[in-house]
Amino acid sequence: SQVTFGLSLVAVGMAVAVSVVSGLVCASGALVPLLVMNPSALFQTRGIFLLCSMPILLAGLGIYAVAGRLREKEQASRNAGLAVPVKNFKVGLALCIFTGVISSAFNLGFAFSGDIIRKSMESGALAATAGYSVWCLVLGAGFLPNILYCIYLLYHNHTFSMFQQRGWLKEMLLPVLMAVVWLSGLFLYGWGATLVGVYGTSIGFTLFMAMSVVSATLLGILTGEWDSTSRRSRQLLAAGVAVILVSVAVLNLGGLFS
């Protein structure tokens, strides 16, 4: 799914790809575990608040997509010679939908791994760390297509020589750091989801995805991604983030009234 996500970015641009993929990942990754393992929980207080938060989150992602698309157009007009042309939109949107559905598999793998977690705990693992055995399987399987596609691109584009250029080690360390930060967040999500119980892989995953979008947006602002954009673009961005935060608040209200 990471391979097709990269292709989606080229085909439809960052804003549309991130919004469509995040929305579908959140919807399928949060609802499927609850529907399969405990469908009656959807009609309890927390389940109802989860259902109420989903359309609010999707609306926030939609506003974010509009803001991001407007930003891309504005920045492209100022850097016409550097802009990457958007390719076939229908193909790109199909890739986004495929990626969004398939990308939820890592949460589904964690949600349906009760037997593996129990075996880990029987072997001496703590409740907080028993999920590590699941992540090894899920992320290990996802690693294979990604590394194979990277090797293919290196051969196809004849870019192996770039590893001999000056500064290549620094460029390699940056994705390694990114992987460490992302995996740390994933492990913390797994820990929290285990402690929450039946709603962990649904409510917890929705919070995880929502806050990922919000934090990525804030970091993008700090690093200058929204420089040279209009006031309207920034207002739409603020509105999108605000709506996403409202969805998070609605989701958490379920804990107060349950």
Side-chain angles (χ1 to χ4, degrees):
S1 63
Q2 294 303 310
V3 173
T4 54
F5 179 63
L7 296 174
S8 302
L9 292 175
V10 177
V12 299
M14 176 75 74
V16 176
V18 170
S19 301
V20 172
V21 171
S22 297
L24 288 173
V25 168
C26 190
S28 56
L31 294 178
V32 170
L34 208 56
L35 286 170
V36 172
M37 296 188 296
N38 195 1
S40 62
L42 274 176
F43 303 100
Q44 298 174 10
T45 304
R46 287 200 174 193
I48 292 171
F49 274 96
L50 171 63
L51 291 175
C52 290
S53 70
M54 294 299 290
I56 301 174
L57 175 60
L58 294 176
L61 290 172
I63 298 172
Y64 177 85
V66 174
R69 192 72 178 134
L70 188 59
R71 181 201 69 179
E72 290 169 357
K73 290 181 178 179
E74 291 170 351
Q75 292 180 338
S77 65
R78 291 178 173 85
N79 304 280
L82 300 175
V84 177
V86 174
K87 298 184 178 180
N88 190 302
F89 188 83
K90 290 183 180 179
V91 174
L93 190 60
L95 284 172
C96 289
I97 294 171
F98 172 82
T99 302
V101 174
I102 298 299
S103 292
S104 64
F106 82 88
N107 188 55
L108 300 181
F110 182 76
F112 299 134
S113 61
D115 291 340
I116 297 175
I117 292 177
R118 280 192 292 272
K119 288 290 184 181
S120 297
M121 294 177 67
E122 290 172 3
S123 300
L126 299 174
T129 58
Y132 291 176
S133 56
V134 178
W135 293 131
C136 288
L137 293 171
V138 172
L139 298 177
F143 167 77
L144 292 176
N146 283 286
I147 190 64
L148 290 174
Y149 186 66
C150 288
I151 293 172
Y152 162 76
L153 289 178
L154 288 168
Y155 271 111
H156 183 265
N157 298 326
H158 307 289
T159 48
F160 270 111
S161 59
M162 296 185 69
F163 290 104
Q164 300 175 349
Q165 295 181 5
R166 186 176 181 180
W168 72 270
L169 183 58
K170 177 184 176 182
E171 297 297 326
M172 283 286 291
L173 289 175
L174 289 174
V176 170
L177 176 62
M178 181 176 68
V180 170
V181 172
W182 184 75
L183 286 173
S184 298
L186 197 61
F187 289 151
L188 289 173
Y189 156 68
W191 184 9
T194 302
L195 296 176
V196 169
V198 65
Y199 292 98
T201 52
S202 296
I203 292 178
F205 188 66
T206 304
L207 287 171
F208 176 74
M209 291 302 302
M211 295 314 298
S212 294
V213 174
V214 171
S215 59
T217 300
L218 294 177
L219 286 173
I221 293 172
L222 292 174
T223 54
E225 282 187 5
W226 291 83
D227 291 349
S228 303
T229 56
S230 66
R231 182 180 179 182
R232 180 167 179 263
S233 297
R234 293 191 292 271
Q235 287 175 337
L236 283 169
L237 174 67
V241 172
V243 173
I244 292 172
L245 291 175
V246 168
S247 75
V248 172
V250 170
L251 188 62
N252 280 280
L253 285 175
L256 295 177
F257 293 101
S258 61

